[in-house]
Amino acid sequence: MADARHQAQSAPGNGRIAILGAGSLGRLWAALLPAGTTTFIPRQYGSEKNDPGLTYRFQDRHGYEYPISVPLLDWSTESPGAVIVTTKAGDTLGALEANLPNLKPSVPVVLFQNGMGSQQAVAERWPDRPIMAASTTEGANRPDARTTVHAGEGETWIGALTASASPLVAGVVAQLNASGLVIHEEPGILKRLWGKLIINAGINPYTAILDCANGDILDAPLFRNTVGALCLELVSVMHHEGLSPPSPEEMQAQIEAVARKTAKNTSSMCSDVHRGKPTEIDYINGYIVSRARAHNLPAPVNQMLTERVKLRTATQQETKPDTPGAT
Ligand SMILES: NC(=O)c1ccc[n+]([C@@H]2O[C@H](COP(=O)([O-])OP(=O)(O)OC[C@H]3O[C@@H](n4cnc5c(N)ncnc54)[C@H](OP(=O)(O)O)[C@@H]3O)[C@@H](O)[C@H]2O)c1
């Protein structure tokens, strides 16, 4: 252990993987990467001095449950080899502002946020740092405060957002491959993020507004009456962004196919509304609205969905009873 610590100090870039955001996805990575190779970045600098770390139960894809203990990173004695960022999109810039001054400028930072906008904000704020984005279809949730469940097996794609990140992507993929998850280098990461954005924009707000599982949106009048226009808006914005979108009909078919395939799943947006937590709507349909505005395009369906999700969140927060211990 002392050797590992010494190595981390004397060889910048070879230390443990530091995870920023000890939520569902952060705990999934910490549980699956080899023991001793990860740390969590504490929320408040200095708290690691008295805190032994984080312990939780992890349920893997086969239903086996076991305890996981992850130490907290002490910036004064350790230099991480990579940082993976698993905060929600809206928390990411602030969380990095608080921590990046401690991180060596050559260390890769991998952003795991859904949606779009937070990744660009980070890359624009630190253009000289090696910043990467990841798109993952792995699923993790926390049914209670002490348990993290690997709820869905998927794949992960990682690509560079800044020039200095490009030569480091293969190394990060190799490091994360130790988790046993399927991880790919992705030179076209923005295109892949857009692909996921389309699906999220076409499913998540409907589930949050209608308070239903993914498959239940398919027959709902709100979805049936607006999904065609939603796809026209998405296609138009993508054209103006210089991307090659599918036709609106193909896009709608893709959205419906995913809703059907994941019919019983509850979207993160729907569960965030339930828990009275802020959603990532500003980085999904809200992002489409802001890009449409930048191109002088109308986006009334995305605007309507964004406003209705925000209204649901506000109403839920007002009516939510105190739930001690809820995460
Ligand atoms: N979960 C999945 O299966 C999954 C799959 C694909 C993509 N994603 C994306 O991954 C991101 C994280 O999702 P998640 O489900 O893991 O969310 P989550 O469970 O809410 O985890 C986010 C974590 O970040 C912490 N955090 C917030 N601000 C922080 C700060 N300033 N410093 C340190 N930690 C901070 C939160 O702490 P508090 O709770 O105390 O605020 C929370 O533990 C989202 O963008 C999501 O869309 C998730």
Side-chain angles (χ1 to χ4, degrees):
M1 194 67 203
D3 282 354
R5 177 62 61 90
H6 176 72
Q7 190 189 15
Q9 274 179 284
S10 58
N14 288 332
R16 294 184 282 189
I17 295 173
I19 300 172
L20 179 58
S24 302
L25 195 60
R27 290 177 194 217
L28 175 75
W29 282 106
L32 294 179
L33 283 162
T37 66
T38 56
T39 60
F40 280 125
I41 298 181
R43 238 179 201 285
Q44 288 189 336
Y45 184 53
S47 60
E48 69 280 6
K49 300 266 187 292
N50 305 316
D51 198 325
L54 194 66
T55 298
Y56 53 97
R57 292 198 68 73
F58 179 68
Q59 190 187 101
D60 69 15
R61 284 300 290 143
H62 310 288
Y64 295 117
E65 254 191 56
Y66 43 91
I68 299 288
S69 286
V70 184
L72 296 185
L73 175 71
D74 182 348
W75 283 113
S76 66
T77 57
E78 182 169 351
S79 173
V83 173
I84 70 176
V85 186
T86 49
T87 47
K88 293 272 197 185
D91 294 324
T92 297
L93 198 57
L96 285 171
E97 292 276 5
N99 287 289
L100 282 199
N102 300 312
L103 186 72
K104 291 202 160 69
S106 57
V107 174
V109 175
V110 191
L111 307 172
F112 270 85
Q113 288 60 49
N114 257 344
M116 284 277 238
S118 69
Q119 301 90 338
Q120 286 84 348
V122 172
E124 278 163 26
R125 172 72 180 76
W126 293 283
D128 297 327
R129 281 188 179 269
I131 309 286
M132 301 173 196
S135 177
T136 186
T137 54
E138 298 293 340
N141 60 47
R142 286 176 292 161
D144 61 63
R146 271 173 245 95
T147 313
T148 299
V149 177
H150 188 187
E153 226 161 7
E155 293 177 58
T156 300
W157 292 264
I158 298 178
L161 290 182
T162 57
S164 61
S166 297
L168 304 180
V169 174
V172 166
V173 168
Q175 264 182 303
L176 296 184
N177 261 329
S179 64
L181 298 179
V182 179
I183 304 164
H184 312 275
E185 260 189 80
E186 175 57 280
I189 191 68
L190 282 179
K191 193 172 171 215
R192 189 164 289 277
L193 288 170
W194 267 98
K196 193 165 186 209
L197 181 69
I198 289 168
I199 303 299
N200 285 332
I203 295 178
N204 294 16
Y206 293 104
T207 62
I209 295 164
L210 299 166
D211 193 12
C212 68
N214 292 359
D216 296 340
I217 65 173
L218 289 164
D219 295 324
L222 175 68
F223 179 81
R224 293 255 60 89
N225 294 338
T226 58
V227 66
L230 177 86
C231 291
L232 285 171
E233 290 176 16
L234 290 167
V235 166
S236 172
V237 169
M238 286 181 77
H239 269 306
H240 283 76
E241 292 280 300
L243 299 154
S244 316
S247 71
E249 294 75 22
E250 280 169 333
M251 191 180 275
Q252 182 173 337
Q254 285 172 10
I255 291 168
E256 292 180 353
V258 175
R260 226 169 272 122
K261 194 169 160 206
T262 60
K264 292 202 160 43
N265 291 8
T266 302
S267 78
S268 55
M269 196 174 283
C270 186
S271 49
D272 282 341
V273 166
H274 260 279
R275 292 182 303 155
K277 290 233 169 193
T279 68
E280 294 187 305
I281 191 74
D282 282 336
Y283 300 88
I284 300 178
N285 303 84
Y287 179 75
I288 303 295
V289 172
S290 71
R291 294 317 301 155
R293 212 169 274 149
H295 297 297
N296 273 325
L297 298 168
V301 177
N302 280 286
Q303 178 81 45
M304 176 274 292
L305 293 172
T306 304
E307 285 166 8
R308 286 189 65 176
V309 169
K310 287 187 174 182
L311 191 65
R312 277 270 298 143
T313 307
T315 318
Q316 185 73 11
Q317 281 169 344
E318 274 164 26
T319 56
K320 192 171 152 258
D322 277 348
T323 49
T327 55

